[in-house]
Amino acid sequence: MQRSTGSRRRRRNTSRPFLGGAMAVIAAGALTVTGLVSTAQAADVNNAKNAGFESGLANWSCSAGSGATVSTPVRSGTSALKATPAGQDHAKCTQTVAVKPNSTYALSSWVQGGYAYLGVTGSGTTDVSTWTPGSSTWTKLSTSFKTGANTTSVTVYTHGWYGQSAYFADDVEVTGPDGGGGGEQPPVLPGTPAGLAAGATTTSSVALSWNAVSGATGYKVYRNGAQATTATGTSATVTGLTADTAYQFSVSATNAAGESAKSAAITARTAKPGTGPGPGPSVPKHAVTGYWQNFNNGAAVQKLTDVPADYDIIAVSFADATPTPGAVTFKLDTAGLNGYSDAQFRADIKTKQAQGKNVIISIGGELGTVRVDNDASATAFANSVYALMQDYGFNGVDIDLENGLNATYMTKALRQLSAKAGSGLVITMAPQTIDMQSTSGEYFKTALNVKDILTVVNMQYYNSGSMLGCDGKVYSQGSVDFLTALACIQLEGGLDPSQVGIGVPASTRGAGSGYVSPSIVNAALDCLTKGTNCGSFKPSKTYPSLRGAMTWSTNWDATAGFAWSKAVGPHVRSLP
């Protein structure tokens, strides 16, 4: 799912690219930059400011609010840039850098995630750029440029690509003669945090707070001497703990210079065991799922109680990765949500559940850095998600890992979670179209592996490009045939019709491509369940128990006056 324009951090634009002729032409142009990289001289300096994004976006400007700093993943220090393409904006971030005329500069940056470009304009000679089609690990982009006789500044930029996932950048260098700024000065090691105190506790978590440290860009929280989590602010909640158990906690401050000494340790005890979250409301035979945004990206900011009754499953987006592989955590973005408090959020979860709605926690989205690829990470995933269920009262989990997953270990993780949570657990998935083209794909295999405990797969029929339908023909997104012919693959590939839903954007601003009007969604639902209102593709049989529809997001739906849910919600409830 996209956090889209103006996101406070960002994870993945939501899908794998459709590589057509235009992309090929532009990529070819980018690849013509060769033979320009040079070795910096010993007296050279890095003329880029805030090159590691340790001071947020200071000195940088990102188009359409597409950039934010994040604490993971980072290559060095405690922060990196995350920029998210959305619609026609390709998340361009720029800095004006002072340079000397008639000089050669080495330009480089480390990147990760989706398509990433690095370049320079205004050189006075030949502007250059380089790119990579994306990587799950840090990759270095390098080129060089020469300034003209009258050039005293250049514009250095990074950007992603339309319809692609978010990219990360760190450690930008414009290395060469000092352009007048003296080069970037190294940061000073921060002091040791003071005032560490424990707040609210549950059976599986302890809330901590401490005093701010000047010059710190992040903090590390330790439990019994081992790092438990990180924070960018002066509070954190440590989860995954054992009930009625005493733990020692300490905290250190970090910045690009390194890590301070740990604070004096305090002791806090988790609450005694209770009944846990318990089973939630049953999911209706035909249901509507909506993703609720825990961030402000230009869509309407909502409280949970603002979500209309047309939504049966509300997926809170998103949980974030922790330093422990597989483990996740969640923190309400109170500032971004106009002061929506944690206490009110928790109360609103209960209110929605009392209205017969299921509120679940979504894992992944654009950020997509949660890796479950061995037994330890599978256990950490199950334990941490269950801890969030106990802590907040979530009814289940949504798997929206758009950078891939491992079927073997995600299956283990979900089965461990099911064993803890019981039969009332709601499990939803939101794969991309490419993930569900074949039963041999990891996402499809995971869905089939957990078919006995799976609630619904709401595939994302957008940000996709053309795909094969179950009849072997190619269909373009944005049509009723695209929805029905691709749903047919899941319906005939082993999933029960009650486990298949149609996922679409709530408005044209909700995704880079693939928006369809609510009338097209309703026509596809009719075609699949009743054999009516089909396009050129008509399935060989009907699937009356089809679960329903999903949208990204309830916030974009609100921005468009709830046109999507007002049309699709009643139609879903009217299905056979």
Side-chain angles (χ1 to χ4, degrees):
M1 302 299 169
Q2 289 178 295
R3 298 190 188 190
S4 198
T5 304
S7 163
R8 66 183 175 92
R9 35 183 187 181
R10 214 75 306 249
R11 166 195 279 266
R12 25 178 187 104
N13 189 35
T14 57
S15 69
R16 190 168 300 184
F18 172 61
L19 299 178
M23 172 67 85
V25 170
I26 293 171
L31 288 171
T32 59
V33 180
T34 59
L36 292 173
V37 179
S38 64
T39 303
Q41 301 300 310
D44 290 346
V45 300
N46 181 11
N47 290 273
K49 303 298 183 183
N50 190 25
F53 303 94
E54 303 301 330
S55 299
L57 293 180
N59 302 102
W60 293 91
S61 177
C62 295
S63 60
S66 57
T69 52
V70 294
S71 59
T72 182
V74 297
R75 180 182 174 268
S76 67
T78 59
S79 297
L81 168 69
K82 181 176 185 177
T84 307
Q88 297 302 307
D89 178 66
H90 58 193
K92 187 174 185 178
C93 296
T94 62
Q95 179 179 148
T96 300
V97 178
V99 294
K100 278 190 172 182
N102 293 323
S103 301
T104 299
Y105 290 85
L107 172 64
S108 66
S109 177
W110 290 84
V111 296
Q112 184 180 148
Y115 280 54
Y117 291 73
L118 173 70
V120 64
T121 60
S123 64
T125 58
T126 301
D127 294 340
V128 299
S129 66
T130 183
W131 73 296
T132 176
S135 172
S136 60
T137 59
W138 287 105
T139 300
K140 190 174 185 179
L141 289 176
S142 299
T143 184
S144 70
F145 64 93
K146 187 174 181 178
T147 56
N150 300 309
T151 304
T152 57
S153 67
V154 297
T155 299
V156 172
Y157 66 83
T158 63
H159 69 73
W161 195 249
Y162 309 101
Q164 302 304 303
S165 59
Y167 70 90
F168 302 88
D170 203 357
D171 300 328
V172 179
E173 293 191 13
V174 186
T175 305
D178 186 352
E184 186 169 36
Q185 299 301 310
V188 177
L189 196 70
T192 302
L196 179 62
T201 62
T202 70
T203 56
S204 61
S205 67
V206 173
L208 301 168
S209 63
W210 54 89
N211 298 337
V213 175
S214 177
T217 56
Y219 300 89
K220 293 183 178 180
V221 179
Y222 291 85
R223 180 192 68 214
N224 292 346
Q227 184 177 324
T229 189
T230 60
T232 55
T234 56
S235 64
T237 299
V238 180
T239 61
L241 307 179
T242 302
D244 196 21
T245 302
Y247 292 90
Q248 278 200 334
F249 299 97
S250 58
V251 63
S252 65
T254 60
N255 63 16
E259 181 180 2
S260 74
K262 297 184 182 69
S263 68
I266 65 167
T267 300
R269 179 177 289 274
T270 51
K272 293 183 178 181
T275 58
S282 61
V283 176
K285 176 183 177 182
H286 300 297
V288 176
T289 301
Y291 285 79
W292 176 87
Q293 298 177 188
N294 179 40
F295 49 87
N296 182 351
N297 66 345
V301 173
Q302 291 182 313
K303 298 177 181 179
L304 279 182
T305 48
D306 296 330
V307 177
D310 286 307
Y311 291 97
D312 304 293
I313 301 174
I314 303 169
V316 172
S317 311
F318 296 96
D320 292 319
T322 74
T324 302
V328 298
T329 188
F330 175 80
K331 183 177 181 180
L332 191 70
D333 184 12
T334 296
L337 301 183
N338 300 335
Y340 191 23
S341 71
D342 181 79
Q344 187 61 58
F345 173 72
R346 293 170 186 266
D348 289 349
I349 291 176
K350 294 180 180 178
T351 297
K352 278 297 181 182
Q353 291 166 338
Q355 295 169 355
K357 312 302 180 181
N358 278 277
V359 182
I360 63 178
I361 182 68
S362 182
I363 312 297
E366 286 179 82
L367 196 55
T369 57
V370 180
R371 303 292 182 192
V372 180
D373 51 14
N374 55 40
D375 286 325
S377 58
T379 298
F381 180 91
N383 288 345
S384 60
V385 172
Y386 186 60
L388 292 177
M389 291 177 63
Q390 289 183 302
D391 192 6
Y392 288 90
F394 296 127
N395 302 116
V397 64
D398 170 67
I399 307 300
D400 182 19
L401 297 174
E402 297 171 18
N403 289 334
L405 54 74
N406 182 302
T408 298
Y409 294 103
M410 181 53 71
T411 298
K412 289 186 176 182
L414 292 175
R415 292 216 171 271
Q416 289 182 45
L417 178 61
S418 176
K420 293 173 177 291
S423 60
L425 177 68
V426 174
I427 299 177
T428 69
M429 295 183 178
Q432 301 166 98
T433 53
I434 192 68
D435 296 321
M436 302 299 285
Q437 284 277 284
S438 169
T439 55
S440 63
E442 294 297 294
Y443 235 116
F444 212 142
K445 286 195 293 186
T446 302
L448 294 176
N449 288 347
V450 298
K451 182 178 177 180
D452 57 312
I453 56 174
L454 176 65
T455 306
V456 63
V457 175
N458 292 303
M459 190 175 76
Q460 301 176 42
Y461 293 77
Y462 51 95
N463 288 341
S464 170
S466 300
M467 285 288 167
L468 291 173
C470 66
D471 57 357
K473 296 180 181 179
V474 176
Y475 293 93
S476 298
Q477 65 178 358
S479 66
V480 66
D481 289 332
F482 187 78
L483 304 181
T484 55
L486 269 67
C488 175
I489 297 176
Q490 300 169 61
L491 293 163
E492 293 299 310
L495 291 179
D496 189 86
S498 67
Q499 295 173 320
V500 176
I502 295 175
V504 294
S507 76
T508 55
R509 297 176 63 190
S513 63
Y515 170 78
V516 293
S517 67
S519 63
I520 296 296
V521 179
N522 290 343
L525 293 170
D526 288 342
C527 179
L528 293 170
T529 59
K530 297 181 287 188
T532 62
N533 293 328
C534 298
S536 62
F537 172 82
K538 187 170 184 178
S540 59
K541 61 181 179 181
T542 59
Y543 309 91
S545 61
L546 189 83
R547 180 65 78 174
M550 170 275 281
T551 195
W552 176 264
S553 61
T554 65
N555 306 74
W556 286 117
D557 187 25
T559 304
F562 296 110
W564 190 90
S565 58
K566 287 178 180 178
V568 177
H571 197 80
V572 167
R573 288 191 290 276
S574 72
L575 294 176

